[in-house]
């Protein structure tokens, strides 16, 4: 089974169609600026056993990842949100390293896209 790409190029292209490179750049910048706080919120929620914080952070990360085409991250955030909603702290702890790793991959890929857009 092949693994899907880090970014959905179709979503990146849709951003360009909707608002040109300015919209692409702005959406990527917003993700890079704010998504790290959501990952931190999830991490802290896991540490303090605050499932509501994990659920909210995961929900917001899921939406943000979808906006920029980070589909694998979006799916992991969706899974984390569902686990938090159901109260499954142990499975969340198993899932979180994958979410963090995918977050880093998505950030690298988005930085590359942003660099390709120029100033």
């Amino acid at each position: 089974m092949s693994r899907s790409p880090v970014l959905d190029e179709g979503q990146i292209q849709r951003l360009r169609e909707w608002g040109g490179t300015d919209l692409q750049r702005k959406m990527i910048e917003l993700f890079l600026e704010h998504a790290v706080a959501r990952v931190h919120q999830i991490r802290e929620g896991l540490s303090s056993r605050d499932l509501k914080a994990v659920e909210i952070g995961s929900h917001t990360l899921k939406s943000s990842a979808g906006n920029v085409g980070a589909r694998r991250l979006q799916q992991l955030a969706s899974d984390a949100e569902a686990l938090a909603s159901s109260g499954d702290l142990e499975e969340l702890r198993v899932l979180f390293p994958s979410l963090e790793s995918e977050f880093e991959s998505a950030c690298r890929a988005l930085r590359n896209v942003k660099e390709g857009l120029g100033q």
Side-chain angles (χ1 to χ4, degrees), residues 14-73:
R14 279 187 289 284
L15 290 174
R16 180 184 291 256
E17 290 167 4
W18 294 337
T21 57
D22 287 343
L23 180 63
Q24 283 179 308
R25 184 178 300 104
K26 185 64 174 172
M27 293 298 290
I28 290 169
E29 287 170 351
L30 285 170
F31 179 85
L32 294 172
E33 182 180 340
H34 296 288
V36 69
R38 299 296 67 83
V39 174
H40 180 74
Q41 180 180 12
I42 296 165
R43 183 185 309 108
E44 289 300 309
L46 284 171
S47 178
S48 65
R49 304 177 65 88
D50 182 351
L51 291 172
K52 191 64 177 172
V54 173
E55 185 176 1
I56 291 168
S58 298
H59 177 79
T60 305
L61 182 62
K62 173 184 73 175
S63 298
S64 298
N67 288 340
V68 294
R71 298 289 181 230
R72 294 187 331 214
L73 178 60

Side-chain angles (χ1 to χ4, degrees), residues 65-115:
N67 288 340
V68 294
R71 298 289 181 230
R72 294 187 331 214
L73 178 60
Q74 182 182 25
Q75 183 59 57
L76 287 167
S78 178
D79 294 346
E81 180 185 15
L83 289 169
S85 178
S86 70
D88 196 339
L89 188 61
E90 292 311 310
E91 281 300 314
L92 274 165
R93 287 187 173 134
V94 170
L95 175 72
F96 187 68
S98 295
L99 186 143
E100 266 189 321
S101 176
E102 190 59 39
F103 173 72
E104 292 301 324
S105 295
C107 287
R108 274 191 304 277
L110 288 165
R111 283 187 201 101
N112 287 337
V113 169
K114 184 180 170 202
E115 286 174 14

Side-chain angles (χ1 to χ4, degrees), residues 5-15 24 68-69 109 113:
V6 174
L7 296 179
D8 173 359
E9 293 298 327
Q11 179 61 20
I12 297 293
Q13 184 57 38
R14 279 187 289 284
L15 290 174
Q24 283 179 308
V68 294
V113 169

